[in-house]
Amino acid sequence: PALRWGYVFSGCCRGNSVERKIYIPLNKTAPCVRLLNATHQIGCQSSISGDTGVIHVVEKEDDLKWVLADGPHPPYMILLDGNLFNRRVMLQLKGTSRVSGLAVAVAKPSPPQGFSPGLKCPNDGFGVYSKDYGPQFAHCNKTVWNPVGSGLSYEDFDFPIFLLEDANETQVIKQCYQDHNVPREGSVPEYPLCAMQLFSHMHAVTSTVTCMRRSSLQSTFSINPEIVCDPLLDYNVWSTLQPINSSGKVDPEKEVIIVATRIDSHSFFWNIAPGAESAVSSFVTHLAAAEAVHKASDIHSLQRNIMFTFFQGETFDYIGSSRMVYDMEKDKFPLRLDNIHSFVELNQVALRNDSVLWMHTDPVSRMNESVEVQVRNLLDILSNSSVGANVTLQEAGYSQPLPPSSFQRFLRARHIPGVVLTDHKTAFQNRYYQSMYDTPENIRMQYPEGLSPEETLEYVTDTAKSLAEVATVVARALYRLAGGANNTSAIQADPKTVSRMLYGFLIKMNNSWFQSIIKPDIKGILGDVPQHYVAVSSPVNTTYLVQYVLANLTGTVVNLTKEECLNPEKTPSSEKEMYEYAWVQGSLDPNSTSRVPYCVRSTVHLSKALSPAFELRQWASTEYSTWTESRWKEIRARIFLVASKELEIITLVVGIAILIFSLLATYFINAKADVLFSIPRDPGAVAY
C-alpha cells in the first residue's frame, strides 16, 4: 500500500522537488478564520508552523470514540461528515487535546434538520430594542428569530478547521485513510500513517481593542508596520428615482422614501457565504422593483423621491446602515434623517407559505399617534398594491417586534414610519441562515437538465416568477407612496431579469450578461462561484455587481464617446454632480469576438460602509459594530505519510551520527592533507 500511495503522490504532484513528491496539496478548501469584536475573539487558528495529526474519518458519532479515547496515535486530524458538524460534536472536540484539527466534508443533500451556525438572536444588542426602548422585546424575549441557530460561528477554537469544497479531494483523503489508517482484524494500524497538516495561523488575538491598538502603535512608530487586523468594511450602494446632487444637500422640505435591503451574508467558513435566502432573494427583488418603478412615465413629477439602498456588512451588527445613519446625522450624506418620509425593507422573501408576505412594524414607535397614522397608510398602500397579484400581504401583528433589520438602526435615531417585508411571521422560514447550505436549492431554484450556461442564464425558474411578483407589488406600492396617481398596471417586474440576476448572484458570476454591463477594467471580479461576505478589501465583487446591475436596470444609455464618458466634467451638459457615468464593455458583436461598449448614465452611487466606531477610534464601542478580521500569512492544507516517532528518532540519530562522522573525517583529512595529498618525488630526478 505504501508503494502504491507513493505512485499516487508522484502522479498527482508532477515535478522534481522533494516536497511535491512527499505532499499532496488540498487546493479547494475554505478556512475558518479569526474575527474579533470589542470583547471577544471567535473563529479558529493553527499554530505558527501549522498543525499536524493522523487522519481519522468520522462518519457517525460512534467513530468519535477512537479519536477521544481509544486511538493510539493522537493527536488526530478529523475528516468530519457534514451532517455531524454541529454544536454538540464540536464542543466535545473543543475540550480535548487529542484533536489537532478538522476537515469538514460538505453534506449532500443539506442536513434535513437545518443548520445555522449563527445566533438565535442575530445582531442582538445593536438593534433598536434595549432596556430603554421596548425592553419586553430586547434580546429576542418575544420572538426567537433563528431557533436553529447554534452560535457555532461565534465560538473560539484553538485548532484549525477547514471546509473541503471538492468531493474528489475528500475522496483522496478517504482513500489514504483506508489504505493506511484503518485497523486490520482488530490490530492497531501500523506506520506509515496518513496524516494531514493545516496552516491558518492568525496574527490578531483577544479583541478588536487589543489588535487595533497594536496596529496603531506599529503604524506610529515602525517604518514597516505589521498590521494584525483590519475592520470589516465595504460600500453601500444607493440611487434615487429623481436625480439629486450627491455632493450637496437635499432641500429640507423634500421627502424621500427609503427602500432598503442587505447584500451580505456569512457562514462558519471564510468567504463561503452563498446567502440565497438571507440576502440574494431580497436584493434581487429590490433590484427588480427599482427597474419596474423606473418604467412609470411620470417619475420626474412625483411628489416624493425614492431612494434605493443596498447595505453592506449588516450581518456584523449593521455596519452599513449604522454608517449611513451616522453620516446623515453628521451632514456627511446628501439626505438628512428629516428628509425620510417612510422606510420599506425587503428581508428574506423567497420561502413564502401560500404566497403570503408578512408586514412587520415597530409597536413602540406606533404608540406615537402621528407615526401610527403614517404606518397605517403605509400598510394600506402595500396591501392594496397586492390586489390582483399572486402575493398576499398580511400584518404580523401589533404586538410583534421587528425582525433583525436595517430599519432598526434608523429607528434608534428617530421615529420613522416603516415596514419590513418577510416570508416569516415569527421565526425564520430559512433553516440554513448564515450557513454554507443557504444555496440556490434552499430557495427551490431548479433547472432542466442539459441546458447550456447561456440557456440556464435565460431560463425563467418558478423562483424567479415568484420573486418578480413580489417586486411588482413593492414597485407599485412605492409609486403610490411617492404620490403617483396613474394606473400602475404598466409597473411590472420582469421575471427574465430576475432569472438572470439569480443565476449571476447564486450560480455563476462570470456570465455573458454580467460581462456586458461592467467596466472593462474590473472584469477580473467575475469569479465562478458567487460569495457575499463583506471582507476587508473593498469594494467586493457583490458591491460592484449590484452597482452595475442597478445602473443597467435604472440608467440610460447616452451618446457619448469613451473620452467624454470617462471625463463627463468636460461635457457642459453632463450634469456631473447629478449623475454617474460608466463606460461598460457591452455585448459581444455577433459577427466578431470584439465587444460593442457604450456609456451608461445613472444615479447610482457608493457610500462608505465602515463602522463609525473606527472613524471615532472607539474600538470598545457598544453603540456601533466593532468587528475586525485577523490577518494571516498563509492558508493551506496538505496530506502525506508520516513515519513512527521511533523511526523519526532513529533517522535523526543516524543523521546526526553521519554528520559528526563526516565532520571528524573532514577534520582529519584536512589536518593530514600534506601527507595524504603530497606529490611523490620522481626517483629519476637529479638535484644540482
Side-chain angles (χ1 to χ4, degrees):
L3 187 61
R4 184 165 72 248
W5 195 251
Y7 284 125
V8 172
F9 269 87
S10 301
C12 289
C13 307
R14 298 180 188 280
N16 296 321
S17 78
V18 174
E19 182 178 352
R20 290 187 177 183
K21 291 180 178 179
I22 294 174
Y23 300 104
I24 293 182
L26 303 173
N27 297 318
K28 297 208 69 177
T29 61
C32 159
V33 303
R34 175 168 289 164
L35 300 174
L36 309 99
N37 66 9
T39 54
H40 291 80
Q41 64 179 32
I42 63 171
C44 323
Q45 77 154 354
S46 73
S47 61
I48 195 165
S49 56
D51 288 332
T52 305
V54 173
I55 295 171
H56 190 73
V57 175
V58 175
E59 295 180 325
K60 54 186 185 297
E61 282 204 48
D62 290 347
D63 296 336
L64 288 171
K65 192 168 180 287
W66 181 270
V67 173
L68 299 175
D70 297 345
H73 305 120
Y76 285 96
M77 276 283 175
I78 297 174
L79 174 56
L80 188 69
D81 183 273
N83 288 297
L84 293 177
F85 186 53
N86 56 52
R87 186 177 182 85
R88 186 181 67 258
V89 169
M90 291 303 296
L91 291 186
Q92 286 185 66
L93 302 179
K94 185 179 179 180
T96 176
S97 60
R98 291 175 58 88
V99 175
S100 59
L102 223 71
V104 180
V106 179
K108 290 186 178 179
S110 301
Q113 72 277 13
F115 174 74
S116 171
L119 298 171
K120 292 183 185 296
C121 190
N123 291 358
D124 186 23
F126 290 86
V128 70
Y129 302 114
S130 66
K131 60 182 175 57
D132 301 317
Y133 187 101
Q136 68 273 32
F137 304 126
H139 312 300
C140 297
N141 285 336
K142 180 78 174 179
T143 306
V144 177
W145 296 105
N146 186 29
V148 185
S150 65
L152 202 57
S153 288
Y154 295 83
E155 291 287 334
D156 183 35
F157 295 93
D158 60 359
F159 52 77
I161 304 176
F162 279 53
L163 178 69
L164 299 172
E165 299 181 75
D166 186 349
N168 292 329
E169 288 188 344
T170 305
Q171 194 53 46
V172 166
I173 299 169
K174 286 183 176 180
Q175 188 60 52
C176 184
Y177 167 78
Q178 290 288 338
D179 289 346
H180 298 279
N181 297 10
V182 174
R184 307 291 179 191
E185 300 173 358
S187 63
V188 172
E190 296 180 1
Y191 287 99
L193 296 172
C194 191
M196 182 185 297
Q197 190 172 29
L198 302 178
F199 296 84
S200 63
H201 181 67
M202 300 287 131
H203 294 175
V205 294
T206 310
S207 67
T208 288
V209 177
T210 302
C211 79
M212 289 299 291
R213 186 175 65 242
R214 288 177 180 173
S215 296
S216 179
L217 287 170
Q218 285 270 343
S219 300
T220 305
F221 297 109
S222 175
I223 298 173
N224 298 306
E226 184 179 335
I227 308 301
V228 295
C229 68
D230 300 282
L232 295 182
L233 80 157
D234 205 79
Y235 288 88
N236 298 322
V237 182
W238 63 275
S239 75
T240 51
L241 189 65
Q242 301 161 356
I244 62 173
N245 187 340
S246 59
S247 58
K249 291 287 176 288
V250 172
D251 189 313
E253 304 301 314
K254 183 66 176 177
E255 292 183 319
V256 179
I257 300 151
I258 292 184
V259 54
T261 191
R262 67 175 60 191
I263 57 175
D264 68 298
S265 188
H266 179 46
S267 81
F268 187 87
F269 298 99
W270 183 76
N271 207 29
I272 300 294
E277 160 73 340
S278 62
V280 178
S281 69
S282 53
F283 76 68
V284 160
T285 305
H286 186 171
L287 287 163
E291 181 192 33
V293 173
H294 277 77
K295 292 177 181 176
S297 57
D298 58 340
I299 57 174
H300 292 291
S301 60
L302 292 176
Q303 177 188 348
R304 301 183 186 96
N305 205 347
I306 301 173
M307 178 171 150
F308 304 98
T309 314
F310 301 81
F311 292 121
Q312 260 288 13
E314 295 301 273
T315 304
F316 295 96
D317 299 336
Y318 306 119
I319 293 173
S321 55
S322 63
R323 179 52 187 260
M324 185 170 283
V325 171
Y326 174 82
D327 286 345
M328 287 181 176
E329 289 178 321
K330 302 297 181 185
D331 276 348
K332 295 180 178 180
F333 196 78
L335 266 68
R336 299 177 180 87
L337 290 169
D338 292 339
N339 293 115
I340 301 174
H341 169 268
S342 52
F343 198 105
V344 178
E345 181 170 351
L346 290 162
N347 187 346
Q348 298 194 79
V349 293
L351 299 176
R352 305 194 308 283
N353 281 334
D354 302 321
S355 297
V356 174
L357 206 59
W358 295 95
M359 300 183 290
H360 298 263
T361 56
D362 172 42
V364 180
S365 59
R366 288 180 69 178
M367 292 178 185
N368 180 303
E369 190 175 337
S370 65
V371 173
E372 167 62 21
V373 170
Q374 291 172 288
V375 170
R376 177 48 53 196
N377 177 56
L378 180 56
L379 294 171
D380 290 343
I381 288 175
L382 279 162
S383 297
N384 293 337
S385 298
S386 69
V387 174
N390 191 25
V391 179
T392 306
L393 271 76
Q394 293 185 16
E395 288 185 54
Y398 191 86
S399 61
Q400 178 83 10
L402 287 168
S405 51
S406 306
F407 178 42
Q408 291 201 30
R409 290 302 302 196
F410 284 79
L411 276 177
R412 278 177 79 128
R414 93 180 32 193
H415 286 173
I416 296 169
V419 63
V420 178
L421 302 176
T422 73
D423 54 22
H424 54 89
K425 181 180 181 181
T426 53
F428 296 163
Q429 296 277 18
N430 185 5
R431 292 175 299 125
Y432 304 109
Y433 183 73
Q434 288 185 11
S435 92
M436 56 192 169
Y437 301 113
D438 192 5
T439 58
E441 292 75 23
N442 186 34
I443 59 171
R444 303 162 191 157
M445 278 176 64
Q446 295 178 324
Y447 295 94
E449 290 186 12
L451 294 183
S452 68
E454 203 61 31
E455 290 169 336
T456 311
L457 172 68
E458 301 294 339
Y459 182 81
V460 180
T461 61
D462 290 341
T463 302
K465 293 174 185 173
S466 172
L467 293 179
E469 288 167 352
V470 175
T472 298
V473 170
V474 171
R476 290 175 178 176
L478 291 173
Y479 174 75
R480 287 278 181 248
L481 279 169
N486 293 344
N487 190 297
T488 57
S489 58
I491 300 176
Q492 186 81 35
D494 184 4
K496 194 165 187 177
T497 302
V498 176
S499 283
R500 286 176 163 189
M501 289 191 285
L502 288 174
Y503 179 80
F505 285 114
L506 285 174
I507 296 173
K508 189 176 183 182
M509 278 188 169
N510 195 10
N511 61 72
S512 59
W513 186 48
F514 278 5
Q515 289 167 9
S516 70
I517 64 174
I518 64 170
K519 291 180 177 179
D521 58 335
I522 60 165
K523 60 185 178 183
I525 67 169
L526 296 177
D528 272 344
V529 181
Q531 303 296 347
H532 307 294
Y533 173 60
V534 58
V536 295
S537 56
S538 57
V540 295
N541 302 11
T542 306
T543 304
Y544 270 131
L545 288 169
V546 168
Q547 177 189 6
Y548 286 104
V549 169
L550 184 59
N552 177 268
L553 298 181
T554 63
T556 307
V557 176
V558 289
N559 188 24
L560 295 178
T561 65
K562 181 178 180 180
E563 180 66 25
E564 291 170 333
C565 192
L566 295 176
N567 302 283
E569 65 278 359
K570 295 179 181 178
T571 307
S573 60
S574 68
E575 296 181 281
K576 176 70 175 76
E577 67 282 356
M578 307 293 280
Y579 296 101
E580 293 287 330
Y581 290 81
W583 184 258
V584 300
Q585 291 194 119
S587 302
L588 282 170
D589 188 329
N591 301 320
S592 71
T593 56
S594 61
R595 295 185 175 274
V596 184
Y598 56 92
C599 187
V600 175
R601 185 186 73 185
S602 72
T603 61
V604 180
H605 306 276
L606 298 181
S607 67
K608 195 178 288 186
L610 169 66
S611 171
F614 298 100
E615 197 97 341
L616 301 167
R617 295 175 68 87
Q618 295 175 358
W619 303 322
S621 173
T622 55
E623 169 74 10
Y624 299 113
S625 170
T626 55
W627 285 105
T628 54
E629 179 184 275
S630 173
R631 288 197 179 185
W632 57 81
K633 187 175 181 181
E634 62 175 345
I635 299 285
R636 60 191 174 103
R638 60 190 185 181
I639 63 172
F640 56 96
L641 295 182
V642 64
S644 67
K645 292 291 182 188
E646 292 80 3
L647 181 58
E648 288 178 345
I649 291 169
I650 291 169
T651 305
L652 177 64
V653 170
V654 170
I656 292 171
I658 292 172
L659 175 64
I660 293 170
F661 175 78
S662 302
L663 291 172
L664 289 172
T666 303
Y667 173 77
F668 283 114
I669 289 170
N670 188 55
K672 302 294 182 181
D674 55 334
V675 176
L676 295 172
F677 304 110
S678 63
I679 302 172
R681 182 175 295 181
D682 186 352
V686 179
Y688 294 95

